[in-house]
Structure formats: structure tokens, C-alpha cells
Amino acid sequence: MNPATPQVPTAPRVRRVLILAQLDGYANSVRPLAIERFLRERGHDVHLVDTNCLARASSEAGSLGRMLPGSLRPARLTLYANDLASKVLTRRWAFGRRHLSYYVLLADHRLRRRILADRLELDDYDLVLSETPYDAGVLTTGTSAETLYDCPTPWADEVFYEGRLTDPQLRRFRTWERRFLESMEHLSFSWESYGRYASEHYGISGRNFLQLNWGCTPSPERSRLADPPRVAYLGSLSSRFIDVPLLARLSRRYPYIDVYGGPPPDPALGLNYRGHASPDVLRQYQFGLITCTRDLLRREGFSAKHLHYLAYGLPVLVPEWRRHLDLLRGSVPYTEESFASVIDGLNDQDRWQRVSDEAYEQARRLEWNRTLQPLERLLDERP
């Protein structure tokens, strides 16, 4: 009998992956860059395309080309005109924002679908991911690649709660989005509670879910308690879902709140604004702060900055109306009235350390290398 030939494990195949994202320097940049790093570290050939200035001659900040159309081809020129219409009709004009955004957004989605399908050789890839609803239409154009729509939030409801849809438009938008989500080969949301929200409020089946929760990279150097405890707010100050007036009122109740991000807030708000900073600045603080709005979507949802705070062992102060805090240990609910007393109640080494340890352990459970494992399995199982 011949001795058995030892089986040498075969190396995983290198896959070609295309990621479509709009890199804005805030949360919309964090996740695609983390996915790119995760897949490259596993030997895959990853191409990240920033579509933020798809209709413009240049994507370089401050350049003249960023203001000019990038092509005279009909689709890109129409997208450029649609961008201008959005700025003129829906940014500052209240009536236009409420009544015309629906048409501008769907036009943007359809034009991007056509442009990206023409520009990109989708069949050259094993997997194509879209990180934004604006670009996700290209996933429906027909390709031999597997496709994944990594949906940030249910789009119709997000736009509605931003004050950009009428009630009838919301119903039409939801109907369109429900069909769109069901048509995806693979579908994820930035946080698992958004998937449940879409199932409950949109009626999607969830048969195509491949859930990839948001992740983080725990810092090797954690925060330590100080007296007085200092609170950091780190993130965008422009979204309608960021309750900046609440942030201002909390700052009057508790003076040790520093605000980082942009764009710069109205000086009349009296915020202790410190400009832009990298997350490393959080080592200097004892609490992270969330000031989300009360609408149904954000009550069920998630803030990307939450994991930045956890990664440094910061207890995270969260409005008590946000649900599912059991999924993010180290969260501390507050009301506007109880805010200062909640902080004071944790101004003790043992009590603060206990919550800080919960926060850091939660960050370790949500490391990117863990939350993105379903993506690795998807590529490994591809024939």
C-alpha cells in the first residue's frame, strides 16, 4: 500500500474587489477605508473609487476643476446640472428642500448608475461593493461579479427626517427602496438595528442579509479619569441628525465639553469649538458625547462616533431616547436635565473605571477584523 500523500492546504485565491464610496473625511470615509485595509491585509486586490466628485473635472479640494463639469458627455453633464439644481433649489429654499429633493435624489441615483456602468469594467471583479445609496444603482446593471450593497441607513426615512420629502413622496420613495433592497444580491447595514428597522418599517424580507456591523480599532493607550471629567464631541456638525442646539444647551449645563469637527458652528451657540482633530485626541478625555435627534430612525439607530469613543475606553453619554444600548456596552443614558448629575455620579475612580472597562471590552468585540469576517467568508466561498 502506498503511503498517503500529505494534503498541502491551498492558499486562498486572490480576489479582485471594487469599492464605490464617497470619501468626505468623516464617517463616510471610515468604513470603506477599513474594508479596503481589511481585504488588502488578506492578500486581495482592492480598488477603491471615490465618487464624491463624479460630475466634476477634479476632486481636489479648493481647485477650480472641482467647480467645473468633468465632461461634455450627456450623462455626466446632466449629473453636473443636477448637482447645481440641488444646491440652488434644495439647500436653502425651504419649499424646494421639502418638495423637490425627491426628484433631485432619484435623478442623481439613476445618472450615477449609467455613468458608473459605462466607466467601470464590473465583470473584471469578483466582488463589487457600494457604500452609498447614490452609487448603488450600478449593482443592478448585470455583472458576473458578486455584489453587495453596504447600506448606511434606510435611505427614504433618512431623507424624510432631514425634512426633504413630503408624506406622499415618502410613501413612493419607500416603495421604490423596498423593491431596490430586495433586488440586491447581498445587503448589509452599517448597524444591525437598521436591518431590523428596514424589516419592520419597509417590509423587506431580509433573505439577502449579510450583516457587517460597524467596527473600530481599539487604542493601545486608553483614557484615564481626571478631575474635573472632560467631555469630547467629535464629528460632523452639519447633519440634521446632529442636535447642535442640544449640544449648546448641554455645554451651558456642563462647561467642560470640547467640540471637534466641522463645519465651524455659529459662534452664537457658545460652543467650546476646537476645530478638527484626529481621534487620538480622545485620550485626553473621560467621556464621549452623542447628541442625536429624537426621530424614529435615530432612536433605533447608531452613531459612527460612538465606536471612536469606545476605542479609547470612554464611557459614552447617549440621549436616553436612543434604543438598543445593550448592543453597545459602556453607554450611559442621559436627559438634558440629568446630564451634569450623570457625569458627577461617575466622577469616582471605581465607578468610572468599571464603565470604562465595559466600553473598551465592547470595542474589542467590535474590532474591524471581527465585524468584517462575513466579507472574508463571502470571498472564500466564491467559486
Side-chain angles (χ1 to χ4, degrees):
M1 179 182 295
N2 293 329
T5 303
Q7 297 295 313
V8 179
T10 58
R13 281 184 54 195
V14 174
R15 307 293 189 175
R16 298 196 75 218
V17 181
L18 175 65
I19 304 171
L20 303 174
Q22 295 188 14
L23 306 181
D24 63 354
Y26 294 104
N28 289 333
S29 298
V30 171
R31 189 169 171 94
L33 292 173
I35 292 173
E36 178 189 37
R37 176 199 56 77
F38 174 83
L39 293 177
R40 283 187 173 168
E41 286 178 353
R42 282 146 186 80
H44 298 296
D45 180 14
V46 185
H47 298 258
L48 175 60
V49 175
D50 181 6
T51 67
N52 204 32
C53 295
L54 188 61
R56 307 304 172 110
S58 171
S59 60
E60 185 177 343
S63 69
L64 178 62
R66 190 156 181 164
M67 302 171 61
L68 299 175
S71 171
L72 295 180
R73 292 186 176 184
R76 290 186 69 185
L77 197 57
T78 305
L79 180 60
Y80 177 80
N82 193 67
D83 287 350
L84 293 183
S86 177
K87 285 188 168 107
V88 172
L89 300 176
T90 71
R91 299 292 174 87
R92 298 183 183 277
W93 184 29
F95 179 88
R97 181 178 180 85
R98 172 69 71 179
H99 293 269
L100 302 180
S101 294
Y102 172 82
Y103 305 102
V104 169
L105 290 168
L106 286 182
D108 183 272
H109 177 90
R110 289 162 182 157
L111 288 164
R112 285 171 173 272
R113 178 182 185 273
R114 186 188 314 171
I115 294 166
L116 292 171
D118 288 342
R119 283 183 58 180
L120 303 170
E121 298 293 339
L122 300 181
D123 290 344
D124 290 347
Y125 297 92
D126 295 288
L127 176 66
V128 179
L129 298 87
S130 177
E131 293 294 311
T132 78
Y134 303 97
D135 301 323
V138 76
L139 303 180
T140 66
T141 56
T143 172
S144 60
E146 288 200 63
T147 55
L148 168 63
Y149 176 25
D150 191 18
C151 180
T153 61
W155 194 23
D157 283 29
E158 173 149 352
V159 174
F160 176 73
Y161 287 119
E162 285 181 328
R164 302 174 70 185
L165 296 176
T166 63
D167 290 340
Q169 287 173 346
L170 171 63
R171 291 192 290 271
R172 293 200 297 272
F173 208 154
R174 267 192 180 182
T175 298
W176 171 86
E177 189 178 13
R178 180 171 59 250
R179 291 196 299 265
F180 182 72
L181 295 176
E182 288 285 5
S183 74
M184 293 295 101
E185 184 174 12
H186 302 290
L187 173 66
S188 181
F189 289 90
S190 61
W191 192 246
E192 58 194 88
S193 62
Y194 283 139
R196 293 196 292 270
Y197 180 97
S199 296
E200 178 181 353
H201 296 279
Y202 283 58
I204 64 172
S205 66
R207 57 167 184 77
N208 53 357
F209 276 7
L210 181 75
Q211 182 56 43
L212 307 172
N213 272 340
W214 201 276
C216 67
T217 302
S219 169
E221 185 178 344
R222 290 175 50 180
S223 170
R224 299 178 182 275
L225 184 63
D227 189 20
R230 296 173 63 204
V231 179
Y233 174 92
L234 177 69
S236 171
L237 293 165
S238 62
S239 168
R240 295 273 177 130
F241 294 110
I242 305 302
D243 194 338
V244 177
L246 173 61
L247 179 57
R249 295 194 300 273
L250 295 177
S251 296
R252 290 193 286 272
R253 288 178 179 270
Y254 190 79
Y256 305 108
I257 299 176
D258 290 340
V259 176
Y260 297 90
D266 183 346
L269 291 170
L271 298 177
N272 187 20
Y273 179 61
R274 306 289 295 275
H276 291 270
S278 73
D280 289 345
V281 75
L282 296 174
R283 289 196 294 260
Q284 306 171 20
Y285 292 87
Q286 287 69 53
F287 294 92
L289 178 58
I290 304 290
T291 58
C292 58
T293 52
R294 288 177 180 259
D295 59 81
L296 184 60
L297 181 62
R298 283 306 185 266
R299 284 182 58 201
E300 300 283 334
F302 162 76
S303 299
K305 65 176 71 68
H306 204 132
L307 264 66
H308 275 319
Y309 300 146
L310 297 178
Y312 289 85
L314 294 182
V316 184
L317 300 162
V318 187
E320 68 168 8
W321 55 82
R322 173 159 280 178
R323 300 181 60 193
H324 309 300
L325 293 183
D326 56 307
L327 300 176
L328 291 169
R329 302 294 300 277
S331 302
V332 182
Y334 71 84
T335 65
E336 189 172 339
E337 293 72 25
S338 69
F339 183 75
S341 61
V342 166
I343 296 173
D344 187 60
L346 288 174
N347 191 14
D348 169 88
Q349 182 62 51
D350 290 340
R351 291 195 295 269
W352 182 88
Q353 193 67 52
R354 184 181 68 255
V355 183
S356 174
D357 289 344
E358 287 182 355
Y360 195 70
E361 181 58 31
Q362 179 69 79
R364 293 179 61 186
R365 290 197 293 270
L366 291 171
E367 286 188 78
W368 286 115
N369 289 347
R370 293 188 181 189
T371 61
L372 296 179
Q373 282 179 357
L375 192 56
E376 183 177 17
R377 290 195 293 270
L378 176 64
L379 290 173
D380 287 346
E381 292 167 2
R382 181 171 171 80

